[in-house]
Amino acid sequence: MRSNDASNLTCETIAAVATPPGAGGVGIVRLSGPAAAACALRVFQPTASGFSGFEPRYMHHGRILAPSISPAGADNARMVDEVLAVFFPAPHSFTGEDVVEIHGHSGPLVVAEVLRTLLAAGEDLGVREARCGEFSKRAFLNGKMDLVQVEAVAEAVAADSPAGLALAQTRLAGGLGRRVDDLRSRLEALRTQLCVAVDFPEDEVECLAPEELASGVGGLVEALDALAGAASRRRVWEEGALVVLAGRVNAGKSSLLNAVAGSERAIVTDRAGTTRDFIEERLLLDGLPVTLVDTAGLRADGELLTGEMDPVEAEGVSRSRTLAARADLLVLVLDGARPEPLGAPERELLGHVDLGKVLVVLNKADVRAPETSPAAAVAEALQDIGLGMVEIVSISAATGQGLDAFTQAVRRRLAGDDAAPRPGELAPNLRQARAMERAASELRDLLADIEAGFPYDVLGVRLETASDILAEITGAIASEDVLNAIFDSFCIGK
Ligand SMILES: Nc1nc2c(c(=O)[nH]1)N(C=O)[C@@H](CNc1ccc(C(=O)N[C@@H](CCC(=O)O)C(=O)O)cc1)CN2
Ligand SMILES: Nc1nc2c(ncn2[C@@H]2O[C@H](COP(=O)(O)OP(=O)(O)OP(=O)(O)O)[C@@H](O)[C@H]2O)c(=O)[nH]1
Ligand SMILES: [Mg+2]
């Protein structure tokens, strides 16, 4: 489907509450479509005596009146809310259609009643409640935003870290869409030159030499790889990572969570088996969004096997294992006060996880006997089980010693040495990066075909395929499935 196909535009007028439910300063109900103004005028009573219809983009003060159900008629009309109303005539509106916004008092019942009043008044005008994402979909179909920007609005709204917001803002500004359009134009230019060569094979002047074609395609592959690579490096800054604290009972996992979170989030006692269900805390570690999860501790094998553990604790331990397997980073907390910190329960746990995702923390540095060197002993024990390369961070959750080193180690393991994203940095989201990878892969196949001396018409097909894949990113060409997947994830009123 071509996005600028006028047949996709509907003549229905849609209405929805645009602001979140709840008490607030202002609540907005939005109408979009040809009957927006006519519908609003039926229920809007202006304050100004000289009112003769909506002046474009001017805030009119007045009231929303619900037609009375009593036979006495409009004189008895009930006041629903005191509002400001504004009309944006097409095409200069958010959706590109006629838009009316009613700014009333925020409160879930008030705005719902304003909406109901409009829907009832506009029924015969084709006014109906909007579906999820329908305002944004109309804005997209009318060329007000490309698909990257539509997604960026949702990403900006959902951002829960400054880094994630910076990436979304750059996409919203349109830079990424323009970059993709630029790459696609370069591709189309190569295609045009190829077509000339196909149409006039004897005309050597117009012919693009295979080496020139290959170098043009090679440049595009490099550019696409760079962008898709940025997406995979930046994803963790936007989506965050799951960091799971696991280990033996009493090792100090809950104490560590509290120390990092800076609050007494989890219960800490000297009793083994204090934490029974997992506890999670979303925080920023050096700007990196992380979900830190404290889990129920593992006991020594014997206790597990005799079946003496109470069922609540057993379920807690089973959840710990599931979480450990899902973690982006598994922090194995060892009890440094014990003579042998890496014992049977720890080894058993490590047997079930990806060792590449493990960070070892040796806790209780404050109480270690100075003459022993548990760090060295632990390093040796880790060597035995293939974790010789793993960094061991020595901390004390009780005194805070080593916590900075721990934070930095976590950040480095999840994001490498990369600094936080800066405003203006281009990084596609997952959908966009996947499309870039598909286009790059098509172009790599094309390079092989050029090498193999395939005829230009065959090469042209691959160029066209790659170009169409790039067009999916901005939505210049987008299937109904792609559009539905994006707009259905939006809420009503967006
Ligand atoms: N009250 C209100 N605030 C809002 C929105 C809205 O719909 N209503 N928006 C909704 O998400 C965002 C702003 N997005 C908008 C995008 C374009 C236009 C608009 O009228 N564009 C016209 C004219 C621009 C001009 O020249 O003034 C156009 O594109 O032709 C309005 C809002 C955030 N704030
Ligand atoms: N001296 C010292 N004691 C600590 C340290 N960290 C934790 N503790 C103590 O160790 C005991 C257990 O701490 P928790 O944080 O509850 O341990 P846990 O790993 O969550 O234990 P479970 O929930 O039972 O699995 C408590 O008495 C803590 O005060 C530390 O760094 N130094
Ligand atoms: Mg605990």
Side-chain angles (χ1 to χ4, degrees):
M1 185 195 69
R2 301 272 157 178
S3 67
N4 49 4
D5 182 344
S7 69
N8 285 304
L9 303 182
T10 164
C11 61
E12 284 175 311
T13 297
I14 52 173
V17 177
T19 41
V26 177
I28 302 177
V29 178
R30 209 161 35 167
L31 290 153
S32 179
C39 175
L41 284 170
R42 287 187 179 177
V43 298
F44 178 70
Q45 183 193 49
T47 308
S49 53
F51 181 87
S52 60
F54 290 124
E55 185 181 322
R57 311 171 141 264
Y58 178 90
M59 283 285 207
H60 296 274
H61 182 256
R63 303 161 151 203
I64 297 297
L65 300 179
S68 164
I69 30 169
S70 82
D75 286 349
N76 279 351
R78 199 168 51 86
M79 145 115 158
V80 176
D81 199 10
E82 178 187 8
V83 301
L84 287 168
V86 56
F87 173 48
F88 302 88
H92 299 299
S93 69
F94 171 61
T95 59
E97 304 176 328
D98 275 1
V99 168
V100 170
E101 289 182 357
I102 310 284
H103 295 226
H105 294 103
S106 182
L109 294 182
V110 184
V111 287
E113 200 169 330
V114 171
L115 175 61
R116 229 176 315 124
T117 306
L118 286 162
L119 289 170
E123 201 178 351
D124 62 311
L125 299 170
V127 180
R128 63 160 172 84
E129 190 156 14
R131 288 185 281 268
C132 308
E134 216 175 354
F135 288 91
S136 304
K137 190 173 191 176
R138 289 183 178 200
F140 164 71
L141 292 174
N142 286 318
K144 292 287 174 185
M145 291 192 283
D146 68 25
L147 222 40
V148 173
Q149 291 171 306
V150 167
E151 289 178 301
V153 169
E155 287 154 358
V157 169
D160 71 349
S161 70
L165 180 59
L167 291 170
Q169 282 166 330
T170 308
R171 288 178 207 135
L172 186 58
L176 185 61
R178 281 193 297 276
R179 179 97 178 95
V180 171
D181 282 342
D182 168 58
L183 294 176
R184 188 161 170 244
S185 315
R186 279 165 60 186
L187 218 155
E188 286 295 329
L190 290 174
R191 239 183 106 200
T192 315
Q193 288 171 274
L194 262 192
C195 291
V196 171
V198 174
D199 294 344
F200 308 100
E202 64 288 339
D203 187 346
E204 289 187 10
V205 187
E206 295 288 350
C207 247
L208 188 62
E211 308 78 57
E212 282 176 81
L213 176 60
S215 112
V217 172
L220 287 167
V221 170
E222 255 174 55
L224 289 170
D225 283 349
L227 279 173
S232 54
R233 274 188 298 111
R234 289 332 210 167
R235 191 156 313 130
V236 67
W237 289 93
E238 217 163 349
E239 293 176 4
L242 181 67
V243 177
V244 174
L245 303 176
R248 185 195 298 253
V249 287
N250 260 347
K253 302 175 293 299
S254 300
S255 304
L256 177 54
L257 176 91
N258 289 346
V260 175
S263 69
E264 298 306 304
R265 177 74 178 80
I267 298 173
V268 168
T269 75
D270 57 6
R271 235 187 75 182
T274 300
T275 307
R276 292 167 151 232
D277 201 350
F278 60 89
I279 294 171
E280 54 177 76
E281 204 42 19
R282 182 84 168 169
L283 22 99
L284 292 176
L285 289 188
D286 254 353
L288 188 73
V290 157
T291 302
L292 191 60
V293 187
D294 174 28
T295 63
L298 309 167
R299 290 180 185 266
D301 266 358
E303 285 164 275
L304 280 173
L305 293 175
T306 54
E308 280 168 14
M309 198 192 274
D310 84 74
V312 179
E313 190 174 353
E315 176 60 26
V317 170
S318 142
R319 289 180 183 197
S320 304
R321 288 174 200 278
T322 311
L323 275 162
R326 268 185 40 215
D328 296 306
L329 183 67
L330 180 71
V331 177
L332 178 63
V333 183
L334 302 180
D335 187 341
R338 295 174 62 94
E340 198 195 339
L342 196 75
E346 287 85 5
R347 288 168 197 266
E348 203 264 341
L349 176 74
L350 289 173
H352 293 97
V353 299
D354 175 355
L355 294 182
K357 292 185 175 170
V358 176
L359 173 69
V360 177
V361 164
L362 191 56
N363 190 29
K364 308 195 186 180
D366 55 306
V367 290
R368 262 173 237 147
E371 68 276 12
T372 61
S373 171
V378 168
E380 206 168 295
L382 287 172
Q383 193 91 44
D384 292 347
I385 50 175
L387 268 173
M389 298 303 289
V390 165
E391 176 185 13
I392 304 169
V393 185
S394 202
I395 66 157
S396 164
T399 67
Q401 172 195 334
L403 278 187
D404 283 346
F406 168 70
T407 308
Q408 281 160 25
V410 170
R411 194 198 124 137
R412 205 167 43 248
R413 287 293 294 273
L414 292 169
D417 289 324
D418 285 358
R422 305 162 73 89
E425 181 181 317
L426 291 185
N429 70 16
L430 189 59
R431 179 191 75 85
Q432 297 151 7
R434 287 272 151 79
M436 288 171 185
E437 283 159 9
R438 270 165 44 228
S441 142
E442 188 67 32
L443 292 178
R444 268 190 256 282
D445 290 348
L446 172 60
L447 286 174
D449 288 356
I450 297 171
E451 188 75 17
F454 278 29
Y456 272 17
D457 50 347
V458 175
L459 305 181
V461 174
R462 284 214 193 271
L463 273 180
E464 185 178 4
T465 306
S467 173
D468 285 359
I469 296 172
L470 288 185
E472 278 176 30
I473 296 174
T474 55
I477 303 174
S479 72
E480 199 58 41
D481 285 351
V482 169
L483 296 184
N484 288 344
I486 292 170
F487 292 106
D488 287 354
S489 70
F490 282 28
C491 59
I492 291 178
K494 184 144 199 146

